[in-house]
Amino acid sequence: MTVGVERFLRRLYDLKYLVGDKWALAILVALSGGPMRRVEILSTINSYSIGKEWSDKHDVLHDSILARTAKKLTQDGLVARTRRTETFPPEVFYSLTQDGLEFLQLTEPAIAWVEQHVALIARAQENRRRPDGDEGTLGIADLDDEDED
């Protein structure tokens, strides 16, 4: 690694704070095709067929959650909100900022890594879906036992 361990960890958590909201990445990806109104973002994301491994509850994005998440992404600088007053009622569009676009472009190597480690990702998804205490999940005691080997 080219950065110190503590700095590296801090920057990883910074990324998590920036896009860790459940719907943030889906919104950014939806906007990668260009500016959209909120209703278009909503229908685009709800049309994605990502699968049960993406969510524990087959959730759909609701307008109130979209509004809150879009506001956060706008405040954080990844998304721009533009209000067009030439029409009545005024139309509001959301689009990626240059920083938002750059973030998505920089994730491409990570996506390539994920595609090369399909079994690892599938195992992680399966473990995440299991309730605590089920067979196959590791607890802290299990980790201590493994360290002794």
Side-chain angles (χ1 to χ4, degrees):
M1 281 193 274
T2 58
V3 295
V5 174
E6 287 182 37
R7 182 173 169 214
F8 184 78
L9 180 60
R10 170 54 40 212
R11 296 304 168 246
L12 285 174
Y13 276 101
D14 289 345
L15 284 173
K16 181 180 177 187
Y17 294 134
L18 188 62
V19 294
D21 180 277
K22 177 176 183 171
W23 296 104
L25 293 173
I27 292 169
L28 293 176
V29 169
L31 291 174
S32 67
M36 299 174 97
R37 297 180 69 192
R38 205 164 75 200
V39 67
E40 295 169 317
I41 298 169
L42 192 64
S43 64
T44 298
I45 291 172
N46 286 333
S47 74
Y48 292 155
S49 178
I50 297 175
K52 67 181 180 182
E53 65 277 359
W54 183 64
S55 174
D56 296 335
K57 298 179 185 156
H58 302 295
D59 292 330
V60 296
L61 176 59
H62 297 283
D63 188 57
S64 59
I65 296 169
L66 172 58
R68 183 189 73 226
T69 307
K71 182 177 182 179
K72 179 197 175 298
L73 291 169
T74 300
Q75 291 170 339
D76 292 346
L78 294 175
V79 170
R81 181 182 185 273
T82 306
R83 188 170 187 254
R84 296 188 186 157
T85 57
E86 304 87 42
T87 63
F88 185 80
E91 296 178 324
V92 175
F93 288 85
Y94 294 88
S95 59
L96 290 178
T97 62
Q98 186 59 39
D99 288 336
L101 180 60
E102 184 180 346
F103 170 78
L104 283 181
Q105 290 169 341
L106 290 172
T107 62
E108 289 178 13
I111 299 305
W113 181 88
V114 167
E115 290 175 347
Q116 293 172 0
H117 295 84
V118 174
L120 178 92
I121 299 301
R123 189 170 51 247
Q125 291 167 341
E126 181 62 31
N127 287 335
R128 184 160 187 245
R129 285 194 300 271
R130 287 189 183 135
D132 289 340
D134 277 2
E135 250 181 70
T137 57
L138 294 176
I140 291 177
D142 297 323
L143 292 175
D144 289 340
D145 291 342
E146 284 186 358
D147 290 339
E148 293 173 6
D149 291 342

